[in-house]
Amino acid sequence: MIEEGSKRGKAMVEKRQLFMEMRAQNFDVIRLSTYRTACKLRFVQKRCNLHLVDVWNMIEAFRDSGLNTLDHNAEINVSRLETILSSIYYQLNKRLPTTHQINVEQSIGLLLNFMVATYDSEGHGKLTVFSMKSMLATMCGGKIVDKLRYIFSQISDSNGVMAFAKFDQFLREVLKLPTAVFEGPSFGYTEHSVRTCFPQQKKILLNTFLDILMADPPPQCLVWLPLMHRLANVENVFHPVECSYCRSESMMGFRYRCQQCHGYQLCQSCFWRGHANGPHSNQHQMKEHSSWKSPAKKLSHAISKSLGCVPIGEPPHPMFPEQSEKPQDTMAHTVQPKPVANNMNNTMLMSSGAPTPTKSVLESPSRLDEEHRLIARYAARLAAEAGNSTQCPPTDLSFNFDANKQQRQLIAELENKNREILQEIQRLRLEHEQASQPTPEKAQQNPTLLAELRLLRHRKDELERRMSALQESRRELMVQLEGLMRLLKDEEQKQATQTGGSPHSSPSHGAGCSMPMPIRSTSAGSTPTHTPQDCLAGVGGDVLEAFAHGVPRNLRNDLLVAADSITNTMSSLVKELHSG
């Protein structure tokens, strides 16, 4: 007796816990009953972790628990309900990553007590099968179109036509949810609820059912249902706009723009609480925005719309075949439909194919053979990739590629600079030959030659300054070249070490695993063996020979030779000019 009393007391504490936490959120300050109801039910959904259970997983749980074989009016006791909820949450934890596991026992306790308080207010200890299905299918996660399709499969007959009596029963059960969160006066069940949804008594098929319940606006008694889904979609939406009342520089969630006051926008907190300032009034019409578009994107969308590139009237859901559908929780296999984009804002994605393939189709020999072939092909592909990875050591390929790319760019820059130097050498050589042609005797006899000689002496000063600049360029070139040689040597040593060879092995040994270098080079520590006297045979001799072919024979030594040739030639030129 003491144990039963403690369990009863614990159940009462857990029963009150969820409602106490909900009251602490202060949802009652929201002035509009639709938003207030949707926020409260969204809080219950998240607090019980039902938003993590997709509607298709919920249908699977109904079938695994044997609810598909029971009549809608059959009753189940609280202990069996607890078993079903335990199965749902333990299966959920198996699908979630280890870093996002939920507290299963706490979730079971909160949801169980909420369902008992909602559907067993008289304390009989039993719930009907249809009550449980209606509540869980409405409060779980997933798309609203999938939920409504499942509900329609439960309230339609064998011909795929909705039974008004069953829809009335569904409204009785689902409208107990707003009543449970103290919003019964606004959205409680009445005898006229069915008429507000379907004013004309006619044959209601699936597409008509979806058209009415997903219309804008939906039926008044269920207006909170699509809003609850929109709340879930905009919880992390960011709007880089300042609120005109609280002056917050950004908004999260919904954004509301006044249709009368130019540039007047409110965040969802201010709009829900009825805040207004300046010329704006709460009686003004406000437009709800669930996303942010930049002015440029708005302009492009308007142009596309005016040109007919964007369809103006888009259906809120895809059109489904009108044949009758079996109740979706009675099939041996439930396959989630493939999404098809039907809305530019991606607010509603759904399948265009049949939602309930039969067991014979799924288990046909051709389908199984095709799956086996795909699996075998994928396994062979993985094996080939694994073989390639064993042949080539696991090096940082991206790093090697970036390093080689930078080295190639540096080499290209050095080659361009060296080409410019060679062109300057050739130009100076021609000028030197022209300047050395007139003799002093001819200059003394001809005044014109004397004037040209003065110009040549002036040009000599310019050449001396140019020589100094060339020597400075040579020095910078040598510094860059030495750094490049060190990089190339380090790269060769790394490749030799990775391939198991010695640091002095040929770079071509690692060609199977790394990018080949664009040039060949000697050791970075070598020094030029050419003396200045070796290069006096004529400017351009060794230089032209070094760069006559498509690939340099030895870039470093040839550049050193070219640089020495520049220095010696300029010295000889200065001496000749001085002597002249």
Side-chain angles (χ1 to χ4, degrees):
M1 294 294 293
I2 297 177
E3 185 178 356
E4 291 180 359
S6 62
K7 286 184 178 180
R8 194 179 299 110
K10 182 180 178 181
M12 290 297 295
V13 172
E14 292 177 346
K15 181 178 179 180
R16 296 173 182 171
Q17 178 183 354
L18 184 63
F19 294 100
M20 291 175 63
E21 293 180 1
M22 184 176 65
R23 279 178 178 159
Q25 299 295 319
N26 201 21
F27 291 122
D28 290 329
V29 300
I30 301 176
R31 64 188 182 96
L32 299 176
S33 60
T34 304
Y35 287 97
R36 192 168 58 243
T37 304
C39 288
K40 289 181 178 180
L41 292 177
R42 175 63 177 167
F43 172 80
V44 173
Q45 182 192 46
K46 294 182 67 175
R47 188 65 182 86
C48 297
N49 289 312
L50 277 174
H51 67 296
L52 301 175
V53 184
D54 192 82
V55 61
W56 300 101
N57 301 126
M58 194 64 74
I59 295 171
E60 187 79 14
F62 293 161
R63 187 178 64 251
D64 293 341
S65 302
L67 298 181
N68 57 317
T69 61
L70 299 178
D71 185 78
H72 282 176
N73 296 322
E75 294 182 338
I76 58 175
N77 55 29
V78 176
S79 60
R80 184 174 180 184
L81 175 60
E82 185 176 4
T83 303
I84 296 172
L85 297 183
S86 300
S87 174
I88 292 172
Y89 282 117
Y90 279 112
Q91 290 296 325
L92 171 63
N93 253 358
K94 290 181 181 179
R95 295 189 298 269
L96 293 176
T98 55
T99 55
H100 293 75
Q101 298 286 295
I102 65 170
N103 189 334
V104 173
E105 297 299 329
Q106 185 185 44
S107 300
I108 294 172
L110 291 174
L111 181 57
L112 180 65
N113 286 293
F114 179 75
M115 293 182 69
V116 171
T118 303
Y119 294 101
D120 186 30
S121 57
E122 298 181 358
H124 296 300
K126 293 181 180 180
L127 279 75
T128 64
V129 172
F130 192 65
S131 298
M132 191 187 68
K133 284 184 177 181
S134 301
M135 185 272 175
L136 293 177
T138 303
M139 293 294 291
C140 67
K143 301 173 184 176
I144 186 172
V145 66
D146 296 338
K147 296 180 180 182
L148 293 177
R149 287 179 60 205
Y150 171 72
I151 291 168
F152 184 83
S153 71
Q154 301 296 304
I155 62 176
S156 58
D157 57 20
S158 58
N159 296 321
V161 180
M162 187 191 77
F164 281 89
K166 291 184 177 180
F167 180 71
D168 181 74
Q169 184 182 4
F170 166 72
L171 287 181
R172 288 176 184 269
E173 303 300 337
V174 78
L175 292 180
K176 290 179 181 178
L177 293 172
T179 304
V181 294
F182 315 107
E183 297 296 334
S186 301
F187 299 105
Y189 172 80
T190 63
E191 296 179 356
H192 305 288
S193 297
V194 177
R195 294 181 184 177
T196 60
C197 297
F198 303 100
Q200 299 178 355
Q201 296 287 334
K202 61 179 181 179
K203 190 163 122 178
I204 304 297
L205 300 177
L206 173 60
N207 290 313
T208 307
F209 179 78
L210 295 177
D211 288 339
I212 293 175
L213 294 190
M214 295 180 63
D216 188 16
Q220 181 59 31
C221 62
L222 294 174
V223 69
W224 51 269
L225 181 57
L227 179 58
M228 186 176 71
H229 287 78
R230 295 205 307 274
L231 278 173
N233 293 331
V234 302
E235 284 181 346
N236 298 318
V237 173
F238 175 78
H239 306 267
V241 182
E242 182 183 39
C243 177
S244 300
Y245 183 85
C246 67
R247 299 301 176 185
S248 174
E249 296 182 355
S250 60
M251 303 181 190
M252 293 293 292
F254 286 120
R255 173 170 56 92
Y256 298 89
R257 177 187 288 273
C258 182
Q259 301 299 291
Q260 299 181 29
C261 304
H262 178 70
Y264 193 90
Q265 301 189 79
L266 292 176
C267 62
Q268 68 176 22
S269 178
C270 292
F271 176 74
W272 289 355
R273 286 159 175 77
H275 293 160
N277 59 347
H280 178 70
S281 170
N282 288 331
Q283 304 302 321
H284 290 180
Q285 184 180 2
M286 302 290 285
K287 185 176 181 180
E288 180 184 279
H289 294 272
S290 58
S291 62
W292 162 255
K293 289 183 180 179
S294 62
K297 189 175 292 185
K298 289 180 181 178
L299 179 61
S300 64
H301 182 76
I303 294 174
S304 301
K305 194 173 182 179
S306 63
L307 295 176
C309 301
V310 179
I312 299 176
E314 296 178 349
H317 65 86
M319 298 300 293
F320 296 98
E322 295 291 356
Q323 69 264 22
S324 61
E325 291 187 345
K326 297 179 181 179
Q328 295 182 12
D329 59 351
T330 63
M331 291 177 292
H333 293 277
T334 301
V335 178
Q336 297 187 27
K338 298 178 181 179
V340 176
N342 284 309
N343 198 324
M344 294 297 292
N345 295 327
N346 292 329
T347 55
M348 196 62 61
L349 301 177
M350 193 53 206
S351 163
S352 60
T356 56
T358 60
K359 182 177 180 180
S360 60
V361 174
L362 287 176
E363 297 185 357
S364 60
S366 61
R367 177 68 177 269
L368 292 176
D369 292 341
E370 182 181 357
E371 291 180 355
H372 287 315
R373 285 196 297 270
L374 289 174
I375 293 172
R377 190 182 307 165
Y378 186 70
R381 189 170 163 192
L382 288 178
E385 292 176 357
N388 292 334
S389 64
T390 56
Q391 293 176 4
C392 182
T395 58
D396 191 353
L397 298 180
S398 61
F399 174 79
N400 290 339
F401 179 79
D402 293 339
N404 291 336
K405 184 177 180 181
Q406 294 177 359
Q407 292 171 1
R408 288 197 299 271
Q409 291 176 351
L410 180 58
I411 291 172
E413 292 176 0
L414 292 177
E415 289 177 347
N416 292 332
K417 187 177 292 186
N418 187 71
R419 194 176 297 110
E420 295 175 359
I421 293 175
L422 291 175
Q423 293 176 356
E424 184 70 15
I425 290 173
Q426 187 68 19
R427 187 181 64 81
L428 292 175
R429 181 169 175 267
L430 292 175
E431 290 184 358
H432 177 261
E433 290 176 354
Q434 294 175 359
S436 60
Q437 286 180 359
T439 60
E441 292 79 9
K442 294 181 180 179
Q444 293 176 359
Q445 296 174 359
N446 192 344
T448 304
L449 293 178
L450 289 174
E452 290 179 356
L453 185 59
R454 284 193 294 269
L455 291 175
L456 287 176
R457 288 176 178 173
H458 179 69
R459 180 62 178 166
K460 179 200 69 169
D461 297 333
E462 293 180 357
L463 291 176
E464 288 178 351
R465 290 192 294 270
R466 180 61 181 168
M467 183 187 69
S468 300
L470 288 174
Q471 288 178 346
E472 182 66 19
S473 299
R474 172 182 174 275
R475 187 186 66 80
E476 295 177 356
L477 182 63
M478 296 305 302
V479 172
Q480 295 180 2
L481 202 58
E482 288 293 334
L484 177 61
M485 292 298 109
R486 283 195 294 269
L487 287 175
L488 294 176
K489 184 177 179 181
D490 294 341
E491 185 67 19
E492 291 174 1
Q493 290 178 351
K494 287 181 182 179
Q495 292 181 357
T497 305
Q498 292 173 357
T499 54
S502 62
H504 301 284
S505 61
S506 175
S508 62
H509 293 172
C513 299
S514 63
M515 296 291 293
M517 296 300 295
I519 62 169
R520 294 169 296 170
S521 62
T522 57
S523 173
S526 62
T527 56
T529 58
H530 298 79
T531 61
Q533 290 76 11
D534 297 332
C535 302
L536 295 178
V539 178
D542 292 333
V543 176
L544 292 176
E545 181 182 357
F547 291 91
H549 305 287
V551 179
R553 65 181 186 192
N554 191 318
L555 181 60
R556 180 178 178 276
N557 288 338
D558 291 339
L559 289 177
L560 292 174
V561 171
D564 289 335
S565 298
I566 295 170
T567 305
N568 295 328
T569 303
M570 294 304 300
S571 299
S572 301
L573 181 119
V574 172
K575 289 179 181 180
E576 292 179 3
L577 290 176
H578 276 298
S579 63

